[in-house]
Amino acid sequence: MKGKNKDDERGGKHVSLRTIIWLGPFIFLIHDLEEVFLTQQWIKKHSYLFKGTVVERLVNTFGYSPGEFGLVVGIITILYGIICYFAAKQIKAGMSMNLYAATLLILFINVFTHLGQSILLKMYTPGVITSLLIVLPYTLYAFRKLKAANMITKTTWITSLFMSIGMVFIIFGLMFLVGRCFS
């Protein structure tokens, strides 16, 4: 059909790469809302696990009130939305797609930090449910779609890895700033 972009087709089981990209901020938000509403309660209930450890200092430094955590999640969701806007707008290899791949990588690795925490502590930890049920399937599917669209190369992996490390530092810096502003 003339004028119809193959990426925008809607039929059968086909989901466009644009749709997958735009799902990212929503997946992130759903996952982080589990953490926003449950982390502070969980930390209070299990504070004995952290007494005198580095984790206790981190919790005190970052602050995990739902308001503070929610503010950070809101800011990150907006930034993630901006990254997705540019990636979905162009659908081509380059900086925007590398940034999107970096966000996917962070989400993917985050699944295993939640799973690892739950296994190590032998209990539920905030974020593990949505990590396994929503984030893991989304990231695997999104990476598969990127690979099928030839958006993932060796260079993309390397660039995205370094970008994701930088993004994690920015996220923790943001958490630190928000925690300091409200303490």
Side-chain angles (χ1 to χ4, degrees), residues 104-178:
L104 274 182
L105 191 56
I106 291 169
L107 285 173
F108 180 74
I109 291 169
N110 188 249
V111 169
F112 298 97
T113 61
H114 287 292
L115 183 59
Q117 291 166 353
S118 289
I119 290 170
L120 182 69
L121 297 173
K122 296 181 177 116
M123 66 174 76
Y124 166 82
T125 57
V128 73
I129 292 172
T130 53
S131 284
L132 293 173
L133 297 179
I134 298 171
V135 176
L136 183 61
Y138 168 73
T139 56
L140 290 173
Y141 187 70
F143 277 128
R144 196 171 111 218
K145 290 290 278 190
L146 286 173
K147 186 171 173 32
N150 296 316
M151 297 293 146
I152 298 283
T153 65
K154 184 178 178 181
T155 304
T156 306
W157 282 118
I158 293 167
T159 304
S160 297
L161 176 62
F162 285 108
M163 287 177 163
S164 64
I165 292 167
M167 287 176 174
V168 168
F169 278 107
I170 291 168
I171 290 166
F172 280 107
L174 187 58
M175 290 172 66
F176 177 77
L177 286 174
V178 169

Side-chain angles (χ1 to χ4, degrees), residues 75-91:
I75 293 168
I76 293 169
T77 303
I78 291 167
L79 294 173
Y80 192 7
I82 292 167
I83 289 168
C84 290
Y85 169 79
F86 286 106
K89 182 180 177 186
Q90 297 178 16
I91 305 287

Side-chain angles (χ1 to χ4, degrees), residues 12-78:
K13 294 181 181 183
H14 178 78
V15 178
S16 76
L17 185 52
R18 276 190 178 83
T19 301
I20 295 301
I21 291 169
W22 276 116
L23 278 173
F26 297 104
I27 298 294
F28 169 78
L29 188 59
I30 290 167
H31 166 65
D32 269 35
L33 286 176
E34 179 186 3
E35 294 177 290
V36 165
F37 291 115
L38 300 175
T39 297
Q40 188 178 37
Q41 285 175 277
W42 189 90
I43 287 172
K44 284 181 182 176
K45 183 177 180 181
H46 299 94
S47 62
Y48 64 92
L49 294 169
F50 313 117
K51 285 286 182 210
T53 68
V54 172
V55 175
E56 182 180 38
R57 287 196 302 270
L58 287 174
V59 168
N60 292 335
T61 299
F62 292 131
Y64 282 97
S65 75
E68 293 171 18
F69 204 2
L71 177 60
V72 171
V73 167
I75 293 168
I76 293 169
T77 303
I78 291 167

